[in-house]
Amino acid sequence: KIWGQDLIASPWPNSGETNELHDKLKDNINQRDMEKFFVLQGILTPDGDLIKKEIFQGSGTNLSLKSISNKVSGKVVDWVEDEWMEMPH
């Protein structure tokens, strides 16, 4: 066993909005334990209201896991490279 569960920090941001995700990720980075292997989970999590709305009303946005990931993936990379790369690690 290389990394025990007690040595890995992988907080889930639990956010469905890009701006809120940014703030939660930044907080996670600032509050991380420097003695643990840190995993930055740059993922959006749609809530029940968004899922119900999409299923029953259809927003025309073609909501899917792929469309949700496309919405944020490039932004997370930019945040890491442009804002957080120089943070202590």
PDB file of all heavy atoms in Angstrom, residues 35-54:
ATOM      1  N   GLU A  35       1.020  18.184   4.662  1.00  0.00           N
ATOM      2  CA  GLU A  35       1.627  16.884   4.959  1.00  0.00           C
ATOM      3  C   GLU A  35       0.901  15.737   4.254  1.00  0.00           C
ATOM      4  O   GLU A  35       1.280  14.593   4.403  1.00  0.00           O
ATOM      5  CB  GLU A  35       1.638  16.642   6.465  1.00  0.00           C
ATOM      6  CG  GLU A  35       2.436  17.667   7.240  1.00  0.00           C
ATOM      7  CD  GLU A  35       3.918  17.659   6.877  1.00  0.00           C
ATOM      8  OE1 GLU A  35       4.482  16.557   6.734  1.00  0.00           O
ATOM      9  OE2 GLU A  35       4.498  18.747   6.732  1.00  0.00           O
ATOM     10  N   LYS A  36      -0.162  16.056   3.529  1.00  0.00           N
ATOM     11  CA  LYS A  36      -0.949  15.023   2.855  1.00  0.00           C
ATOM     12  C   LYS A  36      -0.894  15.202   1.341  1.00  0.00           C
ATOM     13  O   LYS A  36      -0.676  16.291   0.839  1.00  0.00           O
ATOM     14  CB  LYS A  36      -2.419  15.076   3.296  1.00  0.00           C
ATOM     15  CG  LYS A  36      -2.640  14.676   4.728  1.00  0.00           C
ATOM     16  CD  LYS A  36      -4.110  14.618   5.049  1.00  0.00           C
ATOM     17  CE  LYS A  36      -4.341  14.131   6.468  1.00  0.00           C
ATOM     18  NZ  LYS A  36      -5.770  13.988   6.741  1.00  0.00           N
ATOM     19  N   PHE A  37      -1.105  14.098   0.637  1.00  0.00           N
ATOM     20  CA  PHE A  37      -1.257  14.137  -0.820  1.00  0.00           C
ATOM     21  C   PHE A  37      -2.602  14.792  -1.100  1.00  0.00           C
ATOM     22  O   PHE A  37      -3.644  14.334  -0.626  1.00  0.00           O
ATOM     23  CB  PHE A  37      -1.225  12.704  -1.375  1.00  0.00           C
ATOM     24  CG  PHE A  37      -1.314  12.638  -2.868  1.00  0.00           C
ATOM     25  CD1 PHE A  37      -0.173  12.753  -3.639  1.00  0.00           C
ATOM     26  CD2 PHE A  37      -2.534  12.463  -3.496  1.00  0.00           C
ATOM     27  CE1 PHE A  37      -0.241  12.689  -5.023  1.00  0.00           C
ATOM     28  CE2 PHE A  37      -2.615  12.391  -4.872  1.00  0.00           C
ATOM     29  CZ  PHE A  37      -1.467  12.508  -5.644  1.00  0.00           C
ATOM     30  N   PHE A  38      -2.594  15.887  -1.849  1.00  0.00           N
ATOM     31  CA  PHE A  38      -3.802  16.682  -2.062  1.00  0.00           C
ATOM     32  C   PHE A  38      -4.340  16.476  -3.468  1.00  0.00           C
ATOM     33  O   PHE A  38      -3.601  16.553  -4.450  1.00  0.00           O
ATOM     34  CB  PHE A  38      -3.487  18.172  -1.836  1.00  0.00           C
ATOM     35  CG  PHE A  38      -4.661  19.076  -2.073  1.00  0.00           C
ATOM     36  CD1 PHE A  38      -5.718  19.113  -1.171  1.00  0.00           C
ATOM     37  CD2 PHE A  38      -4.716  19.881  -3.195  1.00  0.00           C
ATOM     38  CE1 PHE A  38      -6.806  19.949  -1.394  1.00  0.00           C
ATOM     39  CE2 PHE A  38      -5.792  20.717  -3.419  1.00  0.00           C
ATOM     40  CZ  PHE A  38      -6.835  20.760  -2.522  1.00  0.00           C
ATOM     41  N   VAL A  39      -5.648  16.212  -3.554  1.00  0.00           N
ATOM     42  CA  VAL A  39      -6.332  16.036  -4.831  1.00  0.00           C
ATOM     43  C   VAL A  39      -7.321  17.184  -5.001  1.00  0.00           C
ATOM     44  O   VAL A  39      -8.188  17.392  -4.147  1.00  0.00           O
ATOM     45  CB  VAL A  39      -7.093  14.692  -4.874  1.00  0.00           C
ATOM     46  CG1 VAL A  39      -7.845  14.542  -6.194  1.00  0.00           C
ATOM     47  CG2 VAL A  39      -6.145  13.534  -4.645  1.00  0.00           C
ATOM     48  N   LEU A  40      -7.187  17.925  -6.082  1.00  0.00           N
ATOM     49  CA  LEU A  40      -8.101  19.025  -6.385  1.00  0.00           C
ATOM     50  C   LEU A  40      -9.207  18.494  -7.294  1.00  0.00           C
ATOM     51  O   LEU A  40      -8.954  18.146  -8.451  1.00  0.00           O
ATOM     52  CB  LEU A  40      -7.339  20.166  -7.071  1.00  0.00           C
ATOM     53  CG  LEU A  40      -8.134  21.431  -7.331  1.00  0.00           C
ATOM     54  CD1 LEU A  40      -8.493  22.119  -6.019  1.00  0.00           C
ATOM     55  CD2 LEU A  40      -7.334  22.372  -8.217  1.00  0.00           C
ATOM     56  N   GLN A  41     -10.426  18.421  -6.772  1.00  0.00           N
ATOM     57  CA  GLN A  41     -11.551  17.892  -7.539  1.00  0.00           C
ATOM     58  C   GLN A  41     -12.282  19.042  -8.244  1.00  0.00           C
ATOM     59  O   GLN A  41     -13.219  19.609  -7.710  1.00  0.00           O
ATOM     60  CB  GLN A  41     -12.523  17.143  -6.627  1.00  0.00           C
ATOM     61  CG  GLN A  41     -11.972  15.871  -6.066  1.00  0.00           C
ATOM     62  CD  GLN A  41     -13.071  15.012  -5.476  1.00  0.00           C
ATOM     63  OE1 GLN A  41     -14.143  14.877  -6.038  1.00  0.00           O
ATOM     64  NE2 GLN A  41     -12.796  14.437  -4.331  1.00  0.00           N
ATOM     65  N   GLY A  42     -11.860  19.351  -9.432  1.00  0.00           N
ATOM     66  CA  GLY A  42     -12.467  20.431 -10.207  1.00  0.00           C
ATOM     67  C   GLY A  42     -13.642  19.939 -11.016  1.00  0.00           C
ATOM     68  O   GLY A  42     -13.599  19.938 -12.249  1.00  0.00           O
ATOM     69  N   ILE A  43     -14.689  19.510 -10.316  1.00  0.00           N
ATOM     70  CA  ILE A  43     -15.859  18.953 -10.989  1.00  0.00           C
ATOM     71  C   ILE A  43     -17.126  19.669 -10.534  1.00  0.00           C
ATOM     72  O   ILE A  43     -17.239  20.089  -9.389  1.00  0.00           O
ATOM     73  CB  ILE A  43     -16.003  17.446 -10.706  1.00  0.00           C
ATOM     74  CG1 ILE A  43     -16.046  17.184  -9.209  1.00  0.00           C
ATOM     75  CG2 ILE A  43     -14.882  16.661 -11.355  1.00  0.00           C
ATOM     76  CD1 ILE A  43     -16.352  15.759  -8.828  1.00  0.00           C
ATOM     77  N   LEU A  44     -18.065  19.833 -11.455  1.00  0.00           N
ATOM     78  CA  LEU A  44     -19.369  20.385 -11.111  1.00  0.00           C
ATOM     79  C   LEU A  44     -20.306  19.247 -10.743  1.00  0.00           C
ATOM     80  O   LEU A  44     -20.269  18.175 -11.348  1.00  0.00           O
ATOM     81  CB  LEU A  44     -19.966  21.152 -12.290  1.00  0.00           C
ATOM     82  CG  LEU A  44     -19.335  22.493 -12.627  1.00  0.00           C
ATOM     83  CD1 LEU A  44     -19.980  23.079 -13.878  1.00  0.00           C
ATOM     84  CD2 LEU A  44     -19.472  23.464 -11.465  1.00  0.00           C
ATOM     85  N   THR A  45     -21.158  19.491  -9.761  1.00  0.00           N
ATOM     86  CA  THR A  45     -22.138  18.512  -9.328  1.00  0.00           C
ATOM     87  C   THR A  45     -23.519  19.151  -9.430  1.00  0.00           C
ATOM     88  O   THR A  45     -23.852  20.028  -8.634  1.00  0.00           O
ATOM     89  CB  THR A  45     -21.877  18.080  -7.869  1.00  0.00           C
ATOM     90  OG1 THR A  45     -20.527  17.629  -7.753  1.00  0.00           O
ATOM     91  CG2 THR A  45     -22.830  16.988  -7.447  1.00  0.00           C
ATOM     92  N   PRO A  46     -24.317  18.741 -10.408  1.00  0.00           N
ATOM     93  CA  PRO A  46     -25.657  19.330 -10.524  1.00  0.00           C
ATOM     94  C   PRO A  46     -26.517  18.917  -9.328  1.00  0.00           C
ATOM     95  O   PRO A  46     -26.416  17.790  -8.839  1.00  0.00           O
ATOM     96  CB  PRO A  46     -26.202  18.737 -11.826  1.00  0.00           C
ATOM     97  CG  PRO A  46     -25.413  17.511 -12.072  1.00  0.00           C
ATOM     98  CD  PRO A  46     -24.075  17.727 -11.431  1.00  0.00           C
ATOM     99  N   ASP A  47     -27.340  19.837  -8.852  1.00  0.00           N
ATOM    100  CA  ASP A  47     -28.223  19.499  -7.737  1.00  0.00           C
ATOM    101  C   ASP A  47     -29.548  18.946  -8.264  1.00  0.00           C
ATOM    102  O   ASP A  47     -29.806  18.929  -9.465  1.00  0.00           O
ATOM    103  CB  ASP A  47     -28.444  20.709  -6.821  1.00  0.00           C
ATOM    104  CG  ASP A  47     -29.122  21.878  -7.510  1.00  0.00           C
ATOM    105  OD1 ASP A  47     -29.614  21.728  -8.656  1.00  0.00           O
ATOM    106  OD2 ASP A  47     -29.179  22.953  -6.902  1.00  0.00           O
ATOM    107  N   GLY A  48     -30.388  18.492  -7.349  1.00  0.00           N
ATOM    108  CA  GLY A  48     -31.665  17.887  -7.724  1.00  0.00           C
ATOM    109  C   GLY A  48     -32.562  18.816  -8.521  1.00  0.00           C
ATOM    110  O   GLY A  48     -33.259  18.384  -9.449  1.00  0.00           O
ATOM    111  N   ASP A  49     -32.576  20.104  -8.170  1.00  0.00           N
ATOM    112  CA  ASP A  49     -33.414  21.056  -8.892  1.00  0.00           C
ATOM    113  C   ASP A  49     -33.006  21.169 -10.356  1.00  0.00           C
ATOM    114  O   ASP A  49     -33.857  21.211 -11.241  1.00  0.00           O
ATOM    115  CB  ASP A  49     -33.364  22.440  -8.232  1.00  0.00           C
ATOM    116  CG  ASP A  49     -34.061  22.469  -6.888  1.00  0.00           C
ATOM    117  OD1 ASP A  49     -34.944  21.607  -6.650  1.00  0.00           O
ATOM    118  OD2 ASP A  49     -33.735  23.352  -6.077  1.00  0.00           O
ATOM    119  N   LEU A  50     -31.709  21.227 -10.618  1.00  0.00           N
ATOM    120  CA  LEU A  50     -31.238  21.324 -11.998  1.00  0.00           C
ATOM    121  C   LEU A  50     -31.580  20.056 -12.771  1.00  0.00           C
ATOM    122  O   LEU A  50     -32.028  20.115 -13.919  1.00  0.00           O
ATOM    123  CB  LEU A  50     -29.730  21.577 -12.036  1.00  0.00           C
ATOM    124  CG  LEU A  50     -29.097  21.645 -13.426  1.00  0.00           C
ATOM    125  CD1 LEU A  50     -29.715  22.766 -14.256  1.00  0.00           C
ATOM    126  CD2 LEU A  50     -27.604  21.832 -13.325  1.00  0.00           C
ATOM    127  N   ILE A  51     -31.402  18.922 -12.148  1.00  0.00           N
ATOM    128  CA  ILE A  51     -31.713  17.656 -12.820  1.00  0.00           C
ATOM    129  C   ILE A  51     -33.199  17.553 -13.119  1.00  0.00           C
ATOM    130  O   ILE A  51     -33.600  17.210 -14.236  1.00  0.00           O
ATOM    131  CB  ILE A  51     -31.228  16.462 -11.961  1.00  0.00           C
ATOM    132  CG1 ILE A  51     -29.700  16.471 -11.890  1.00  0.00           C
ATOM    133  CG2 ILE A  51     -31.739  15.145 -12.531  1.00  0.00           C
ATOM    134  CD1 ILE A  51     -29.123  15.517 -10.875  1.00  0.00           C
ATOM    135  N   LYS A  52     -34.060  17.886 -12.126  1.00  0.00           N
ATOM    136  CA  LYS A  52     -35.513  17.844 -12.348  1.00  0.00           C
ATOM    137  C   LYS A  52     -35.922  18.807 -13.454  1.00  0.00           C
ATOM    138  O   LYS A  52     -36.735  18.474 -14.312  1.00  0.00           O
ATOM    139  CB  LYS A  52     -36.258  18.189 -11.060  1.00  0.00           C
ATOM    140  CG  LYS A  52     -36.283  17.064 -10.057  1.00  0.00           C
ATOM    141  CD  LYS A  52     -37.231  17.355  -8.915  1.00  0.00           C
ATOM    142  CE  LYS A  52     -36.650  18.435  -8.034  1.00  0.00           C
ATOM    143  NZ  LYS A  52     -37.383  18.660  -6.792  1.00  0.00           N
ATOM    144  N   LYS A  53     -35.372  19.995 -13.414  1.00  0.00           N
ATOM    145  CA  LYS A  53     -35.699  20.999 -14.432  1.00  0.00           C
ATOM    146  C   LYS A  53     -35.358  20.473 -15.822  1.00  0.00           C
ATOM    147  O   LYS A  53     -36.139  20.615 -16.766  1.00  0.00           O
ATOM    148  CB  LYS A  53     -34.938  22.296 -14.154  1.00  0.00           C
ATOM    149  CG  LYS A  53     -35.169  23.379 -15.168  1.00  0.00           C
ATOM    150  CD  LYS A  53     -34.343  24.609 -14.823  1.00  0.00           C
ATOM    151  CE  LYS A  53     -34.422  25.640 -15.919  1.00  0.00           C
ATOM    152  NZ  LYS A  53     -33.534  26.763 -15.669  1.00  0.00           N
ATOM    153  N   GLU A  54     -34.212  19.877 -15.947  1.00  0.00           N
ATOM    154  CA  GLU A  54     -33.768  19.376 -17.245  1.00  0.00           C
ATOM    155  C   GLU A  54     -34.637  18.213 -17.713  1.00  0.00           C
ATOM    156  O   GLU A  54     -34.996  18.131 -18.877  1.00  0.00           O
ATOM    157  CB  GLU A  54     -32.299  18.958 -17.159  1.00  0.00           C
ATOM    158  CG  GLU A  54     -31.633  18.749 -18.476  1.00  0.00           C
ATOM    159  CD  GLU A  54     -31.589  19.991 -19.347  1.00  0.00           C
ATOM    160  OE1 GLU A  54     -31.467  21.099 -18.830  1.00  0.00           O
ATOM    161  OE2 GLU A  54     -31.681  19.833 -20.573  1.00  0.00           O
TER     162      GLU A  54
END
